[in-house]
Amino acid sequence: MEYTFLLFAFVCGLSVKMIGIPPLVGYLVAGFALNAAGQQMTGELQHIADLGITIMLFTIGLKLNVRDLNKREVWAGSIAHTLIWVGIVAGALYILAAVAAFWFGDISFESALLIAFALSFSSTVCVIKVLEESGESKTRHGKLAIGILVMQDVFAVVFLVAATGKLPSVYALGLLAVFPLMPLLNRIIDKSGHGELLPLTGFVLALGGYHLFDLVNIKGDLGALLTGIILAKHPKATELSKSLLAFKDLFLIGFFLSIGLTALPDFNMIMAALILCVFLAVKAALFFGLFTWLRLRARTSYLTSLVLGNYSEFGLIVAALAVSLGMLSESWLVIIALAVSISFVITSIMYRNSHGQYLRIKNGIQKFESPVRLKEDIYPVVTNAEFLVIGMGRVGLGAFNSLHKLADSAVWGMDADSVKINRLQQEGLNVICGDGEDVDLWENLDTSNVKLILLALPSIEDAVNITRQLQFSGYTGKIAAIARYEDEVETLLSKGVDKVFNFFTEAGLGFAEESLAYVNDSSAK
């Protein structure tokens, strides 16, 4: 049965991808279609869904810098948003229930508060999926969104404790023993190598963290997240995260199917869910207002607000708890499930064209910016730059070092990962922190002397977006990019890239040339 579910999810995911819509929309459609066909959620599929969420939270932790949570825009923004949102939406729902009882039913103000709280959360699964697909999880707005999600997870744990009266066990203090065990955990990761044992190590650590927290009556998902955070400073953290990527995406298909298989709505439930989705605009606008008030740039505020403008699967947990306590009718579980699904579709489609949307509205929303900049939002400066490498991963750093031997200080590098940039700056390299898809950055960065920009990025969408921003900002130099697959070469060339290098072909050519040079040198001796 699970194979049939996954096969149908594959067909729906492939179908929507062919018309330019993210596959997760197809998975949601597949869940509702299977539900309409009389299929029900199975224990095995639920296990797959739960495993996907656990692995995803673990990989989030591996990429998270705890210091990012200590920023005012994260903790103040998340707290203020939750409080204001609950007040506004609870009042609106109470009024709607009075004037449209045929859709919403008869709900008390306490029930309205509970529903508003359930809808205050943004979906960790949806947000991370969208950010990773666009390669923006380490950008300024990406890290801000993840920080907000982590804060919301903390709110969720507090709520579950308060609502269920299920206090953490006294043995929870024993979790502190993990810190003396860190040298052992680091050694295990070191010895796991680079092959099939590495992702298995990730599974063991993620599930271990989940079950340890669950045993002491703390949300297991939080355990997986914190385990990843603790291991984030390990040198192999990035490699470990990448090794789990394919597994995580596969298991998350089960999660998206489970949303649709939760229950089947009738007409009144659909109308109620659509009305709830109207509040998504309020949710995003509230985030935007708070972020700009906290002195974030308009672009950062806009992109973060857009990606957080959805409802969370945690709303289903709150609704199920409220139903079990007799505070809500069972129909609300279906309404919230449908609203969550629709919000996923809206976010995945809207964010896909977010950078183009910003170009069209930036003059209007920049009026809301504070004249005082946060330290992280001050535009970087390059001096005497003739070559600029965007993306300081292994390929980008290799290109940077090769060019540096020829052009010395005329070569600069740029990456959105501030931690990586700080490390490279400490090594004395000419590098700056910046998001290449930020047109405001290009308009404020002096590229008048830059002859060549190299896009050393794994995502073809990122390369296309950056090329568009460069063209829009008036850059007149040459642009080169890498491609992993042959069909990507023509796409990049058609979008304005001057030269495209097939990564695997060029790597093989370079390997052969260097080997041949070594043989010739040896023969000469």
Side-chain angles (χ1 to χ4, degrees), residues 37-71:
Q39 301 297 327
Q40 295 182 343
M41 188 69 180
T42 66
E44 289 79 5
L45 187 61
Q46 186 62 58
H47 288 319
I48 292 174
D50 292 342
L51 184 57
I53 294 173
T54 299
I55 297 300
M56 183 199 68
L57 289 170
F58 178 68
T59 57
I60 292 173
L62 289 173
K63 301 174 183 177
L64 190 64
N65 187 342
V66 180
R67 288 178 294 182
D68 290 336
L69 301 180
N70 195 36
K71 294 176 179 177

Side-chain angles (χ1 to χ4, degrees), residues 40-230:
Q40 295 182 343
M41 188 69 180
T42 66
E44 289 79 5
L45 187 61
Q46 186 62 58
H47 288 319
I48 292 174
D50 292 342
L51 184 57
I53 294 173
T54 299
I55 297 300
M56 183 199 68
L57 289 170
F58 178 68
T59 57
I60 292 173
L62 289 173
K63 301 174 183 177
L64 190 64
N65 187 342
V66 180
R67 288 178 294 182
D68 290 336
L69 301 180
N70 195 36
K71 294 176 179 177
R72 191 180 64 149
E73 56 266 31
V74 173
W75 60 264
S78 56
I79 293 173
H81 186 277
T82 299
L83 293 175
I84 298 173
W85 166 269
V86 170
I88 293 174
V89 175
L93 288 175
Y94 189 65
I95 295 172
L96 283 171
V99 299
F102 47 91
W103 286 337
F104 287 91
D106 184 22
I107 59 175
S108 65
F109 188 68
E110 290 76 12
S111 298
L113 283 171
L114 190 60
I115 296 170
F117 179 71
L119 299 177
S120 69
F121 294 86
S122 299
S123 172
T124 302
V125 177
C126 180
V127 172
I128 298 302
K129 185 76 174 168
V130 168
L131 287 174
E132 288 188 342
E133 285 181 349
S134 58
E136 297 175 12
S137 59
K138 290 188 177 182
T139 60
R140 175 78 164 118
H141 60 275
K143 291 193 290 186
L144 175 59
I146 292 173
I148 296 290
L149 292 172
V150 173
M151 289 297 298
Q152 290 182 347
D153 268 349
V154 174
F155 301 159
V157 172
V158 173
F159 169 79
L160 291 175
V161 170
T164 63
K166 187 179 178 183
L167 294 172
S169 166
V170 67
Y171 296 109
L173 294 173
L175 295 174
L176 297 174
V178 72
F179 292 103
L181 292 174
M182 281 302 299
L184 175 62
L185 294 177
N186 289 331
R187 187 168 178 80
I188 289 173
I189 297 176
D190 288 334
K191 295 297 183 181
S192 61
H194 306 281
E196 69 277 0
L197 193 58
L198 185 61
L200 181 58
T201 302
F203 272 87
V204 170
L205 292 172
L207 293 174
Y210 179 98
H211 288 297
L212 279 176
F213 273 62
D214 192 53
L215 283 173
V216 295
N217 294 339
I218 302 179
K219 195 167 177 265
D221 290 337
L222 184 62
L225 176 66
L226 291 178
T227 301
I229 292 174
I230 290 171

Side-chain angles (χ1 to χ4, degrees), residues 302-318:
Y302 171 72
L303 293 177
T304 310
S305 303
L306 191 62
V307 79
L308 290 174
N310 50 65
Y311 296 136
S312 171
E313 57 281 357
F314 180 71
L316 300 177
I317 299 174
V318 175

Side-chain angles (χ1 to χ4, degrees), residues 455 463-464 467 471 479-481 491-500:
L455 307 180
V464 170
T467 301
Q471 293 169 340
I479 302 174
T491 300
L492 289 168
L493 290 173
S494 67
K495 296 299 181 179
V497 176
D498 298 293
K499 179 66 177 178
V500 181

Side-chain angles (χ1 to χ4, degrees), residues 461-474:
E461 288 81 10
D462 289 349
V464 170
N465 283 334
I466 293 174
T467 301
R468 184 184 301 120
Q469 312 302 353
L470 287 168
Q471 293 169 340
F472 186 84
S473 65

